[in-house]
Amino acid sequence: MHDDRLITEKRLERFVRERIAPAIYGRALPLTLSSWDVPGEPVPVAEALHQVFEPQEHGAAWGKAWSTKWLRLRGEVPEGWGAAEGTAVEIVVDLGFSNDAPGFQCEGIAWRADGTIIKAISPRNQHVPLKLLGGGLSVDFYVEAAANPDLSQGWSFAATPLGDKATSGDEPRYRLGRIAIAELNEVVWELHQDIWTLSGLMHELPFELPRRHEILRAFERMLDVMDPDDVAGTAAAGREALAEVLSRPAYASAHELLATGHAHIDSAWLWPVRETIRKCARTFSNVVALMDENPEFVFSCSSAQQLAWIKEFYPELFIRIREKVKAGQFVPVGGMWVESDTNMPGGEAMARQFVEGKSFFLEEFGVDCQEAWLPDSFGYSGALPQIVKSAGCRWFLTQKISWNQVNKMPHHTFNWEGIDGTRLFTHFPPVDTYNSELHGRELAHAQRNYREHGRGTISLVPFGYGDGGGGPTREMIAAARRTADLEGSPKVRVGTAKEFFTQAEAEYRNLPVWVGEMYLELHRGTYTSQANTKKGNRRSEHLLREAELWCSTAAIRTAGSFTYPAADLKRLWRLVLLQQFHDILPGSAIAWVHQDAERNYAAIARELEAIISNAAIALLGEGDTVFLLNAAPHERNGVPALAAAEAVHADTTVSVTPRAGGYVLDNGIIRAVLDANGLLTSLSDHATGREAMAPGQFGNHLELHRDTPNEWDAWDIDEFYRRNVVSVVEARSVTLESAGWDAVVVVERTVGSSTITQRISLEAGAASLGISTTVDWQEREKLLKIGFPLDVRADRSASETQFGHVFRPTHTNTSWEAAKFEFCAHRWIHVAEPGYGVAISNASSYGHDVTRAIRDDGGTTTNVRVSLLRAPKFPDPRADLGMHVLELSIRPGASIGDAVEEGYRTNLKPRLLTGAKPVEPLFTVFNQALVIEAVKLAEDGSGDVIVRLYESLGERSTGIITANFDSRKVQSVDLLERPVEASGVVPGAVAAELTLRPFQLVTLRFSR
């Protein structure tokens, strides 16, 4: 037989494009348009509907970047339209869409004249059914059109001014397309879906499989029986020609795909938060409209914050969503406030993501989410399994690991073991997308790619256009119906994530195990980009710790005269949690987003400082005695942890000795030598007498690298950055600023076009050397690091993560290790050999790297570097330009416990206030390995006290936590403060005995 396959495929493609697609809508009639251009930021619908609408020309250019145009659409449906069987009347609205990149261009939402939402208008969802307008043959409704610019630019990663409203320009970015009443031919539409499904399947089948050719010949018969001049009249015959190949059942062994509707909406990214709120309204209105027509359709919604916005700004839509939740169609998943980054949020913040998210879903919908849902976060902390389980969740879903540059994840369904030993049932959908269209290509890829064949039979597929693209469509639902039982295709079933996890967990018992973090081999630059956002996050986390601690203490110690500001603290927590979203905190959003974040952080700091001040005044009373408020979990300057008392200062001063243009600083605990360029040539502790710096090398070494990643500028650091480096050695000046109780040496440098001032300080009684680096950063596409080459043979480094730390090899034996050339650490990093270690802590940095080299003398140099600043051009072309203050400390002769203490010391600065009386701590812990992370009053308003603590050293630790107030009962609770059984906890009335496994997290409730 002659091979005419390509000829027939081209014939089909053209017939669909030129005959079938245009015939979906037969008759059409333009509508009468009028419009009102919003002069500034978007306005509520009630305000817009009272404006004066001027006549609007069809096909006109409109919409400068980020502007909003309101359109009024009016007309009459001609008599007889939609009366014939298999036809319906719809309004088609094209705002000037491109068919590419839904969610990255203009968008709209249709409103009735009474101010209620109809549905969204999206690039691939442009129709408004007449029946949704309230009945009758008159058309009169409004469209709120948003001129969001396309910052994706075809993912060229070119610098663009469009991400800042101040620089985005005034030129119109869109031109109105067809806006008309149209008659939908449902038979032609169904035929189009038949072809789309079968064609997608056919192109994925092997050439040697008969099924592929049977589908092709069915297409050939369809093309022959249909009249190109009368598509509507012959569409039924065309469907009949395809009916037999569509009716063939799937193989008995076909993979099963549970498809759940989804719309991954980034809470800010290439648009500001204000636009995300409207994107959510558009998408969710589409979803509930689709549910009305398709009772089997299920949609998974993952972010409590987004639904909280709908409740606040779109209450009528929220009521409809609540009804669909009750019906089991609109399903809250994930249990987090936002789909946050998981590398950089601190332990308590990561816990609060679940506390606030799950609490919202429980209060508003009565839903207790069982799955953590994080398809798009940039790697997953090894602390997550314990946090997820502690929040009462059972399962975890992710997708982003499919983006790894080098190594392929070996599992799709597995147990993920966290740093404390907690195991979490985890799924990594083999479809490799969280925005599926249920196309044959995607379904076939999921079946081929699935790594658990022979042990498991099912995987999950989230389908729907994300980021404002409108979510699932009727076309996707049609595809799911056609592939439910179709030969050559996996079996597709629409359902909930819970249904998937329950079935997968039941059928696949002997799961493989992945231990520790799931490191994403991509987007490593997100640990450093937008330094001010990261600084604001770190500062906010610690201010919230202080505020909750002192407010709890004041509420108890003042016998009820101080009112715990629960509502204010919850509101501020939620704002901080929002900004931990996985494109805000990582620094991968447009300028507008980070400008908002910095304003928010400044407001958060002002409000929390006022809250802390009020609590401190209530606690200390009026007086002239200076007290140190120690919010750290360790004693400081003689003040117990979590207490306020007069500080006990060291009775010695720091000696400063000039040497060859530099200085020797010595406080009797450590000794540091700075040369004439302010470089750290020697650092030792008197307890061991050991030199920390590698021979002939120096610390406080600034290095400027070329930083031009292949793509994803703000996201990525590529390994080849190391090959181009400028060593910053020379100083303009090195001067002694002060000596006595502390010593400060000031070093001034120039790096490229930037100026750097460093304040290197040693305090009396301190075990660490402080380095504060102020940079007027004016570089573009550069990376600034600060390094410390240590005389330590460390085969691994320890980096703080949530409620513990994670070890990473310093060698590159395997591709997995080589890929971790830049990694995340929280407040400290520690490297050691048996008997000796060095800790480096920071106040706002997250990116680190550790390398090793063997010297000529046979010794090993372990070089620890902290990434200080980047300067990517996309998506914010002015990212990080300006002033920055970055603080570090280095502590020689340090244990892991010392590193933990140093991390708190660097991030919780001394708070000195005057008053009349000291403050006893609410809690005492009789083992420094057991670290109190949070003290707060209970969420239920009972006045009970919640304390969260963890084992910090990575070893089995025992101790007692005692309440220093009247307590009648101690109880173990989960993160949501519900009673649970906790291993290693023996509660009493005022104390609990603890025997905790390494990194175990415990939450206790002390009833008053």
Side-chain angles (χ1 to χ4, degrees):
M1 183 176 178
H2 299 298
D3 184 5
D4 62 350
R5 176 180 53 83
L6 294 178
I7 295 171
T8 303
E9 288 175 2
K10 288 181 179 179
R11 179 188 175 195
L12 173 67
E13 180 186 350
R14 183 172 184 182
F15 191 81
V16 171
R17 183 179 68 249
E18 295 184 359
R19 306 291 181 172
I20 294 178
I24 290 174
Y25 290 107
R27 299 176 286 187
L29 183 68
L31 288 163
T32 299
L33 303 180
S34 56
S35 67
W36 172 63
D37 292 302
V38 181
E41 283 293 280
V43 301
V45 60
E47 182 178 341
L49 297 184
H50 287 91
Q51 303 302 317
V52 175
F53 281 65
E54 303 290 344
Q56 172 66 56
E57 179 185 358
H58 281 264
W62 73 281
K64 69 176 183 180
W66 307 114
S67 67
T68 300
K69 175 186 281 290
W70 281 81
L71 295 167
R72 186 175 185 183
L73 288 63
R74 288 181 289 179
E76 297 291 329
V77 179
E79 185 177 354
W81 280 27
E85 185 178 355
T87 63
V89 176
E90 296 185 339
I91 291 81
V92 179
V93 182
D94 180 358
L95 298 174
F97 299 123
S98 160
N99 195 43
D100 297 327
F104 298 88
Q105 54 180 290
C106 61
E107 301 167 20
I109 194 166
W111 295 87
R112 299 181 186 89
D114 64 2
T116 56
I117 287 178
I118 305 171
K119 67 180 291 290
I121 307 295
S122 308
R124 300 182 189 177
N125 196 341
Q126 300 178 15
H127 66 282
V128 179
L130 180 66
K131 60 187 176 183
L132 295 183
L133 300 183
L137 298 179
S138 293
V139 173
D140 188 357
F141 69 102
Y142 297 81
V143 172
E144 178 187 9
N148 300 335
D150 178 12
L151 277 93
S152 72
Q153 307 172 98
W155 304 115
S156 61
F157 308 106
T160 171
L162 293 174
D164 187 338
K165 199 173 182 181
T167 60
S168 59
D170 294 328
E171 69 275 12
R173 308 203 68 82
Y174 298 102
R175 184 173 297 277
L176 296 176
R178 179 170 69 162
I179 302 178
I181 301 170
E183 189 175 42
L184 172 70
N185 188 308
E186 294 171 336
V187 179
V188 177
W189 183 87
E190 294 284 1
L191 173 63
H192 193 270
Q193 309 318 307
D194 294 343
I195 296 169
W196 190 83
T197 295
L198 285 171
S199 178
L201 171 61
M202 178 183 71
H203 283 94
E204 293 302 314
L205 293 172
F207 292 119
E208 64 272 13
L209 202 65
R211 174 70 166 156
R212 176 172 184 140
H213 303 281
E214 289 170 355
I215 294 172
L216 181 70
R217 297 310 160 195
F219 279 141
E220 190 172 55
R221 291 191 295 274
M222 178 205 74
L223 293 166
D224 289 344
V225 301
M226 289 189 67
D227 184 349
D229 297 323
D230 185 15
V231 170
T234 57
R239 293 204 72 199
E240 180 62 28
L242 299 178
E244 195 275 333
V245 290
L246 268 172
S247 66
R248 296 274 189 90
Y251 310 133
S253 59
H255 185 63
E256 184 176 1
L257 294 171
L258 189 139
T260 191
H262 186 49
H264 177 80
I265 303 175
D266 285 315
S267 290
W269 180 25
L270 303 184
W271 48 84
V273 165
R274 72 89 151 143
E275 195 56 35
T276 308
I277 298 171
R278 297 203 294 177
K279 285 176 179 283
C280 292
R282 296 177 197 124
T283 297
F284 298 162
S285 63
N286 263 354
V287 165
V288 295
L290 204 57
M291 288 172 178
D292 289 337
E293 296 297 311
N294 302 276
E296 81 278 20
F297 169 52
V298 173
F299 179 78
S300 296
C301 184
S302 64
S303 295
Q305 170 68 90
Q306 295 181 356
L307 288 167
W309 283 329
I310 298 299
K311 182 182 180 182
E312 179 179 359
F313 298 107
Y314 301 88
E316 178 264 339
L317 176 59
F318 189 76
I319 291 171
R320 294 167 63 194
I321 289 172
R322 186 176 275 153
E323 292 170 352
K324 296 300 183 184
V325 172
K326 290 179 181 178
Q329 289 185 274
F330 196 109
V331 182
V333 297
M336 298 178 71
W337 188 246
V338 296
E339 290 185 14
S340 76
D341 177 78
T342 77
N343 288 309
M344 290 174 282
E348 188 60 22
M350 200 76 256
R352 296 299 177 95
Q353 287 287 352
F354 288 92
V355 170
E356 294 302 325
K358 291 199 70 169
S359 296
F360 182 88
F361 288 145
L362 279 165
E363 292 164 8
E364 298 295 339
F365 306 114
V367 173
D368 186 4
C369 297
Q370 296 296 291
E371 64 290 292
W373 184 280
L374 275 172
D376 190 32
S377 196
F378 308 150
Y380 305 93
S381 158
L384 266 183
Q386 179 175 209
I387 295 171
V388 170
K389 282 286 186 75
S390 297
C393 296
R394 294 171 55 188
W395 307 305
F396 184 80
L397 178 136
T398 175
Q399 181 68 68
K400 199 71 173 189
I401 297 298
S402 66
W403 287 42
N404 271 6
Q405 286 180 312
V406 179
N407 299 287
K408 187 171 183 177
M409 190 72 177
H411 317 298
H412 284 109
T413 303
F414 55 98
N415 262 329
W416 180 18
E417 182 179 313
I419 59 174
D420 73 310
T422 297
R423 288 187 174 181
L424 182 65
F425 188 97
T426 298
H427 184 60
F428 165 33
V431 70
D432 285 346
T433 180
Y434 40 83
N435 296 308
S436 174
E437 300 174 80
L438 301 183
H439 188 271
R441 177 184 61 256
E442 296 167 336
L443 305 184
H445 175 76
Q447 181 168 261
R448 284 195 302 264
N449 192 39
Y450 184 59
R451 305 295 289 270
E452 269 64 57
H453 286 308
R455 293 182 172 87
T457 64
I458 186 172
S459 64
L460 186 139
V461 176
F463 69 93
Y465 298 123
D467 288 330
T473 65
R474 60 187 180 184
E475 288 80 11
M476 296 174 193
I477 293 175
R481 288 171 178 161
R482 284 161 173 77
T483 53
D485 192 13
L486 182 62
E487 183 186 356
S489 170
K491 298 176 183 177
V492 176
R493 171 167 58 93
V494 175
T496 66
K498 182 179 181 180
E499 290 177 73
F500 160 75
F501 278 110
T502 301
Q503 181 177 335
E505 197 172 39
E507 75 167 8
Y508 193 0
R509 296 288 187 181
N510 189 23
L511 292 172
V513 177
W514 181 269
V515 178
E517 68 178 332
M518 286 193 281
Y519 176 93
L520 179 65
E521 297 174 1
L522 197 71
H523 295 358
R524 304 167 182 88
T526 59
Y527 314 142
T528 305
S529 296
Q530 297 287 1
N532 283 334
T533 297
K534 291 170 170 58
K535 186 173 185 177
N537 173 73
R538 183 77 69 81
R539 179 66 176 141
S540 297
E541 289 180 345
H542 289 81
L543 283 172
L544 281 162
R545 174 197 174 88
E546 289 191 84
E548 289 186 333
L549 170 66
W550 300 127
C551 288
S552 300
T553 307
I556 293 172
R557 295 284 183 240
T558 61
S561 64
F562 179 87
T563 301
Y564 187 80
D568 290 334
L569 291 170
K570 179 178 284 289
R571 173 175 49 81
L572 292 169
W573 259 119
R574 286 181 170 183
L575 184 53
V576 171
L577 297 178
L578 164 62
Q579 293 173 157
Q580 291 178 340
F581 177 74
H582 66 251
D583 276 306
I584 303 179
L585 179 54
S588 48
I590 58 174
W592 189 342
V593 172
H594 293 288
Q595 291 163 7
D596 283 349
E598 289 176 31
R599 281 192 293 269
N600 286 336
Y601 285 132
I604 289 166
R606 286 193 299 270
E607 193 164 352
L608 287 174
E609 289 287 359
I611 289 172
I612 293 167
S613 178
N614 290 338
I617 290 170
L619 283 165
L620 299 173
E622 294 185 6
D624 298 325
T625 303
V626 177
F627 292 105
L628 170 64
L629 278 71
N630 181 17
H634 308 96
E635 178 272 335
R636 179 176 293 180
N637 298 114
V639 179
L642 316 182
E646 294 184 65
V648 178
H649 298 296
D651 56 5
T652 60
T653 59
V654 181
S655 70
V656 180
T657 305
R659 177 187 290 183
Y663 299 93
V664 180
L665 313 180
D666 195 328
N667 66 356
I669 300 173
I670 65 171
R671 177 179 181 272
V673 178
L674 303 172
D675 71 4
N677 284 307
L679 302 172
L680 184 62
T681 58
S682 174
L683 181 66
S684 60
D685 65 293
H686 287 280
T688 68
R690 176 166 168 170
E691 174 61 55
M693 306 308 301
Q697 301 188 54
F698 50 84
N700 189 34
H701 183 195
L702 294 170
E703 293 178 288
L704 190 67
H705 292 268
R706 182 191 301 171
D707 186 16
T708 53
N710 289 334
E711 51 187 0
W712 301 107
D713 294 35
W715 294 257
D716 284 358
I717 290 176
D718 283 326
E719 188 274 340
F720 53 75
Y721 85 89
R722 290 177 170 170
R723 303 172 203 166
N724 296 94
V725 58
V726 174
S727 177
V728 182
V729 174
E730 187 175 348
R732 291 188 305 180
S733 65
V734 178
T735 57
L736 180 66
E737 180 179 275
S738 65
W741 162 247
D742 61 2
V744 179
V745 175
V746 179
V747 183
E748 295 184 347
R749 309 181 193 278
T750 299
V751 177
S753 301
S754 305
T755 57
I756 297 178
T757 300
Q758 291 186 301
R759 296 171 57 82
I760 304 172
S761 60
L762 180 61
E763 296 180 0
S768 61
L769 183 73
I771 303 174
S772 177
T773 303
T774 300
V775 186
D776 182 5
W777 186 239
Q778 299 299 326
E779 308 307 303
R780 308 307 300 133
E781 298 183 295
K782 297 292 189 293
L783 168 63
L784 181 66
K785 282 181 170 278
I786 185 169
F788 299 89
L790 306 173
D791 189 12
V792 176
R793 182 170 173 78
D795 58 1
R796 62 183 185 175
S797 64
S799 300
E800 187 188 32
T801 189
Q802 298 93 355
F803 305 118
H805 54 268
V806 60
F807 290 107
R808 299 182 181 96
T810 58
H811 57 76
T812 55
N813 283 356
T814 72
S815 59
W816 293 90
E817 293 147 358
K820 295 181 182 180
F821 56 80
E822 182 84 1
F823 55 78
C824 182
H826 285 195
R827 293 170 291 198
W828 56 267
I829 184 170
H830 181 266
V831 293
E833 61 186 43
Y836 184 82
V838 178
I840 296 172
S841 71
N842 72 83
S844 61
S845 300
Y846 294 92
H848 295 73
D849 76 295
V850 178
T851 54
R852 64 198 299 275
I854 303 300
R855 304 186 299 268
D856 290 342
D857 65 2
T860 300
T861 298
T862 300
N863 193 23
V864 179
R865 299 196 303 170
V866 183
S867 297
L868 299 180
L869 291 166
R870 298 188 68 216
K873 288 188 175 182
F874 179 83
D876 176 6
R878 295 185 56 79
D880 282 318
L881 294 182
M883 297 298 297
H884 300 272
V885 180
L886 302 133
E887 297 183 10
L888 301 170
S889 77
I890 179 168
R891 181 167 175 167
S895 65
I896 289 283
D898 295 331
V900 173
E901 181 181 353
E902 195 66 33
Y904 282 99
R905 185 176 294 274
T906 304
N907 285 271
L908 285 169
K909 295 300 182 183
R911 186 176 291 277
L912 299 173
L913 293 172
T914 58
K917 58 184 184 297
V919 179
E920 184 185 17
L922 288 184
F923 296 99
T924 304
V925 177
F926 296 99
N927 185 339
Q928 290 294 297
L930 306 179
V931 171
I932 292 179
E933 183 69 6
V935 176
K936 61 186 285 293
L937 293 195
E939 294 288 316
D940 61 9
S942 63
D944 290 351
V945 186
I946 303 296
V947 60
R948 194 151 21 251
L949 71 161
Y950 68 100
E951 198 291 318
S952 65
L953 303 185
E955 60 189 41
R956 186 172 297 275
S957 298
T958 61
I960 299 174
I961 180 170
T962 302
N964 301 314
F965 58 89
D966 290 336
S967 171
R968 60 181 176 84
K969 184 175 68 172
V970 184
Q971 191 174 30
S972 296
V973 294
D974 68 4
L975 294 183
L976 274 70
E977 300 170 13
R978 302 173 296 196
V980 294
E981 291 292 328
S983 63
V985 178
V986 181
V990 297
E993 296 181 12
L994 306 174
T995 303
L996 302 189
R997 66 181 181 270
F999 304 130
Q1000 184 177 347
L1001 172 64
V1002 171
T1003 304
L1004 300 173
R1005 183 187 192 111
F1006 287 75
S1007 298
R1008 293 165 61 195

